[in-house]
């Protein structure tokens, strides 16, 4: 497996984004958001299918990097049947795709699975023969003692292809921020937080994902998304 740095991931994202902008029906147009379905089918040439991937909803998405793999699904009144992954197909949980309140999570799941295919396309020797037959995206991933670099890379690629800097910059101006967000804080900067939330909905991503991406791109001055009261908390350095 090839170990990619954050800089490598950003370069891959730029490459994928430029190719997306050059799609026939987007050439010459201003793109305000990335549609993962279009990126997957039109740019990568990968099929998208929707199934009930588990009885308890724990499996959000999965794909196979190569070859034919059978997978048990539960599409008909929770009765099991089998579908085939051919190395050019992504399965997404049907309930996740149909739940409008989960659009950010659904889009990120699609982009995550697309990330595996992007890695295979760019680095066929390193990833084309990956001995891991299936790549899962789980609702509650188990805590692992060692970093799963393959899944980390897929997550990182998902972030940069859903939220490329060019698209984020356009959204910042569209939602009245100018060149950057001064503060994300739902308690002490309510207007900014409402605009930030609307921007996430517009881009089709979660607020958490957008908050992280803005920090990565250094486009937010003060980010209190995780703890709005951290702005006023007083910390003791020790002593009596």
């Amino acid at each position: 497996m090839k170990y990619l740095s954050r800089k490598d991931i950003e370069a891959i994202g730029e490459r994928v984004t430029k190719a997306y902008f050059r799609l026939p029906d987007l050439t010459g147009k201003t793109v305000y958001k990335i549609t993962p379905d279009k990126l997957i089918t039109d740019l990568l040439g990968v099929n998208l299918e929707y199934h009930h991937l588990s009885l308890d909803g724990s499996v959000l998405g999965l794909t196979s990097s190569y070859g034919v793999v059978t997978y048990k699904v539960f599409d008909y009144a929770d009765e099991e049947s089998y579908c085939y992954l051919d190395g050019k197909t992504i399965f997404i949980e049907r309930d996740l795709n149909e739940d409008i309140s989960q659009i950010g999570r659904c889009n990120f799941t699609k982009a995550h699975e697309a990330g595996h295919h992007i890695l295979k396309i760019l680095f066929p020797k390193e990833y084309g023969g990956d001995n891991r037959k299936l790549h899962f995206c789980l609702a509650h991933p188990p805590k692992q003692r060692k970093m799963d670099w393959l899944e980390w890379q897929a997550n990182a690629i998902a972030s940069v292809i859903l939220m490329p800097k060019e698209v984020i910059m356009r959204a910042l101006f569209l939602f009245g921020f100018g060149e950057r967000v001064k503060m994300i804080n739902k308690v002490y900067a309510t207007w900014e937080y409402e605009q930030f939330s609307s921007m996430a909905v517009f881009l089709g991503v979660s607020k958490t994902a957008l908050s992280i991406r803005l920090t990565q791109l250094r486009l937010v001055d003060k980010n209190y998304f995780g703890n709005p009261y951290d702005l006023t908390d007083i910390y003791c350095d020790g002593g009596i």
Side-chain angles (χ1 to χ4, degrees), residues 179-198:
E179 294 184 351
R180 59 194 303 103
V181 180
K182 292 183 178 179
M183 182 188 295
I184 299 174
N185 190 308
K186 66 180 179 181
V187 175
Y188 299 105
T190 54
W191 180 87
E192 289 85 352
Y193 190 82
E194 288 174 1
Q195 293 301 99
F196 160 77
S197 301
S198 298

Side-chain angles (χ1 to χ4, degrees), residues 57-85:
S58 60
V59 181
L60 304 181
L62 64 124
T63 194
S64 171
S65 295
Y66 72 104
V68 177
V69 181
T70 58
Y71 184 78
K72 185 190 299 183
V73 298
F74 304 89
D75 289 343
Y76 306 103
D78 292 335
E79 293 183 7
E80 63 184 54
S81 58
Y82 290 86
C83 290
Y84 297 92
L85 286 160

Side-chain angles (χ1 to χ4, degrees), residues 39-235:
L39 186 147
I40 290 167
T41 57
D42 294 5
L43 182 61
L44 302 181
V46 173
N47 301 311
L48 263 175
E49 294 185 13
Y50 302 95
H51 301 281
H52 290 303
L53 301 178
S54 60
L55 288 172
D56 59 2
S58 60
V59 181
L60 304 181
L62 64 124
T63 194
S64 171
S65 295
Y66 72 104
V68 177
V69 181
T70 58
Y71 184 78
K72 185 190 299 183
V73 298
F74 304 89
D75 289 343
Y76 306 103
D78 292 335
E79 293 183 7
E80 63 184 54
S81 58
Y82 290 86
C83 290
Y84 297 92
L85 286 160
D86 56 4
K88 290 187 176 181
T89 301
I90 291 171
F91 287 176
I92 297 296
E93 168 56 43
R94 182 182 296 169
D95 287 345
L96 177 66
N97 190 64
E98 294 175 355
D99 186 351
I100 193 170
S101 69
Q102 293 290 312
I103 188 169
R105 192 173 202 183
C106 185
N107 284 342
F108 197 88
T109 300
K110 292 174 180 177
H112 171 95
E113 301 302 344
H116 288 297
H117 287 275
I118 290 169
L119 289 170
K120 183 183 73 171
I121 291 169
L122 295 180
F123 309 104
K125 290 183 179 180
E126 291 86 348
Y127 294 95
D130 181 16
N131 58 12
R132 194 180 312 188
K133 291 185 177 180
L134 289 173
H135 302 290
F136 290 89
C137 192
L138 303 175
H140 304 288
K143 291 184 178 180
Q144 296 181 334
R145 300 175 74 177
K146 289 181 64 177
M147 170 74 77
D148 188 330
W149 283 105
L150 186 58
E151 296 304 317
W152 178 87
Q153 288 175 166
N155 273 337
I157 289 174
S159 177
V160 299
I161 64 175
L162 280 178
M163 296 171 282
K165 186 174 182 178
E166 184 174 344
V167 168
I168 292 292
M169 291 299 297
R170 290 192 184 118
L172 288 176
F173 279 95
L174 190 63
F175 285 87
F177 289 112
E179 294 184 351
R180 59 194 303 103
V181 180
K182 292 183 178 179
M183 182 188 295
I184 299 174
N185 190 308
K186 66 180 179 181
V187 175
Y188 299 105
T190 54
W191 180 87
E192 289 85 352
Y193 190 82
E194 288 174 1
Q195 293 301 99
F196 160 77
S197 301
S198 298
M199 181 173 160
V201 172
F202 175 78
L203 293 172
V205 299
S206 70
K207 288 181 284 188
T208 300
L210 180 56
S211 169
I212 293 171
R213 187 64 177 141
L214 287 170
T215 298
Q216 289 173 347
L217 293 171
R218 298 181 180 181
L219 292 174
V220 56
D221 293 334
K222 298 178 181 179
N223 192 342
Y224 298 103
F225 177 77
N227 179 14
Y229 294 102
D230 194 50
L231 182 64
T232 56
D233 283 347
I234 299 174
Y235 297 95

